[in-house]
Amino acid sequence: MKKILALTLASIMLMSLFGCSGGEDTQPQADNNPSSQQEENGRSKATEFTFELAAEEERIVENLVFDEDVTVSGDFGIIVFENCEFNGDIISTAEQFTRVILSGTTVNGNCVFKNTIKEASMDYPMPKFISSNTLNIVCEDCIGSCVLDGTEEKIVFNGETYSIADVEFFYDANTNELVPYEGQEASALFVGQWWENGEKVLQLFCE
């Protein structure tokens, strides 16, 4: 659970810059789909591959192996996959805010954004994938962002690999501003894509 809290904290810190959701917190809902076949690491074969989130819903999915593509839908929700394994893609169709948090989880496929947003800004509450491990992000002709909790790993975004060495900007939480990155101590790496005034923007910074 400490890892979940760390990942959730990383996402909350970035909400002030890229939009946030109001309202009261909801109790996380555990969502388990065990089968008779148990994996050696305590994981079970998943039988559910579609997760539709209500606004402000927080859901926890634990100890599952997904052998098919998984789809997450619904805006302004949070879903945490804890100790899971994905042998296909994770597809987020959310258009606003929704966080897909991957804690102690292996993704053998891609993390794919599929939404219809064609115009946004830095303040738009973009959907996110959040992990402490390298993710392969696919975000073609839509918006989306990835937060890497820590700076040791890399983010592969639309085929390009990004690391802390590529960062030009640092998010200063005290001033809520992006400033030049000059080696400040950082705990998270961010890559995001959106269109602003018809032009594609790819933003890379650390915090």
Side-chain angles (χ1 to χ4, degrees):
M1 290 301 295
K2 290 184 179 179
K3 194 60 180 178
I4 295 177
L5 292 175
L7 288 168
T8 304
L9 179 60
S11 68
I12 291 173
M13 288 189 296
L14 290 162
M15 287 177 195
S16 59
L17 182 61
F18 287 90
C20 60
S21 169
E24 299 179 355
D25 292 339
T26 57
Q27 183 68 27
Q29 174 187 348
D31 194 330
N32 300 298
N33 296 288
S35 69
S36 58
Q37 183 179 1
Q38 295 291 323
E39 301 293 312
E40 292 182 0
N41 54 11
R43 296 168 176 164
S44 303
K45 293 290 186 181
T47 59
E48 181 181 359
F49 302 95
T50 302
F51 299 90
E52 184 174 355
L53 303 177
E56 300 183 11
E57 177 182 0
E58 298 180 13
R59 190 182 304 191
I60 298 174
V61 180
E62 301 176 285
N63 306 322
L64 294 178
V65 177
F66 297 93
D67 289 327
E68 300 178 17
D69 291 350
V70 170
T71 299
V72 175
S73 63
D75 294 340
F76 294 101
I78 295 174
I79 186 166
V80 180
F81 290 99
E82 168 72 20
N83 188 38
C84 293
E85 180 177 353
F86 291 84
N87 292 318
D89 294 342
I90 313 173
I91 302 167
S92 172
T93 63
E95 301 201 337
Q96 297 185 70
F97 181 85
T98 292
R99 269 67 173 159
V100 178
I101 301 174
L102 305 165
S103 175
T105 290
T106 302
V107 181
N108 297 315
N110 299 319
C111 296
V112 182
F113 288 106
K114 287 187 178 180
N115 53 65
T116 62
I117 304 299
K118 302 301 180 187
E119 182 73 14
S121 69
M122 181 175 285
D123 295 324
Y124 187 88
M126 286 187 287
K128 287 182 172 63
F129 285 103
I130 302 172
S131 177
S132 59
N133 299 317
T134 296
L135 296 179
N136 189 9
I137 305 295
V138 177
C139 185
E140 298 178 354
D141 198 28
C142 64
I143 69 168
S145 58
C146 177
V147 179
L148 184 64
D149 181 32
T151 59
E152 299 299 320
E153 302 293 335
K154 300 176 181 180
I155 297 174
V156 181
F157 201 97
N158 287 338
E160 296 293 332
T161 301
Y162 300 97
S163 71
I164 189 70
D166 301 304
V167 168
E168 296 182 2
F169 297 101
F170 176 81
Y171 172 60
D172 188 337
N174 294 323
T175 62
N176 195 30
E177 294 179 339
L178 287 178
V179 299
Y181 177 59
E182 299 174 337
Q184 298 94 322
E185 183 176 353
S187 60
L189 181 66
F190 171 94
V191 179
Q193 173 181 286
W194 67 93
W195 274 259
E196 193 165 352
N197 298 321
E199 294 187 7
K200 184 168 73 172
V201 177
L202 181 69
Q203 181 71 70
L204 172 68
F205 70 87
C206 62
E207 177 181 1

